[in-house]
Amino acid sequence: MKPAQSIILKPIVTEKSARMTQTAHLITFEVDRDANKIEIRKAVETLFSVKVAAVHCVKVPGKIRRVARTSGRFIGKTSDKKKAYVTLKAGEKLPPIFEGV
């Protein structure tokens, strides 16, 4: 199994994720594309010392981008990502990085 730091890449803090954190006790992370739900659950429990109720994963395809070097003639693509929506158990305190968001 991979170390927890290589599974959880970064937290996603947007308006939508902040609203979900406040209402549904749900936090969002960008995770390794090869990680499964069990690995994500263990990594979050290890890194943040919380109990996880559920994990939902979404694969996000990369976007097509035009390179404007020569009037947008060349086309590139951003890399694919994977997001994990982690629901904490009732009574669990949010990790400090999500408080006050």
Side-chain angles (χ1 to χ4, degrees), residues 19-98:
R19 200 173 331 114
M20 288 190 302
T21 301
Q22 299 298 326
T23 59
H25 219 56
L26 188 134
I27 52 180
T28 310
F29 295 102
E30 184 177 329
V31 296
D32 183 37
R33 285 188 291 170
D34 298 329
N36 59 27
K37 290 182 179 185
I38 297 168
E39 291 175 337
I40 294 168
R41 174 190 300 259
K42 289 180 181 177
V44 169
E45 288 178 348
T46 302
L47 289 175
F48 300 108
S49 302
V50 294
K51 297 291 183 188
V52 174
V55 176
H56 300 286
C57 296
V58 178
K59 288 187 177 182
V60 181
K63 296 182 179 183
I64 302 291
R65 298 288 186 204
R66 297 189 78 126
V67 179
R69 197 167 83 195
T70 54
S71 69
R73 191 170 85 184
F74 299 105
I75 296 177
K77 183 178 177 284
T78 60
S79 59
D80 298 335
K81 298 176 183 175
K82 188 173 187 178
K83 286 196 290 188
Y85 296 101
V86 179
T87 306
L88 301 179
K89 288 191 177 179
E92 285 293 322
K93 189 175 178 185
L94 288 172
I97 60 171
F98 290 101

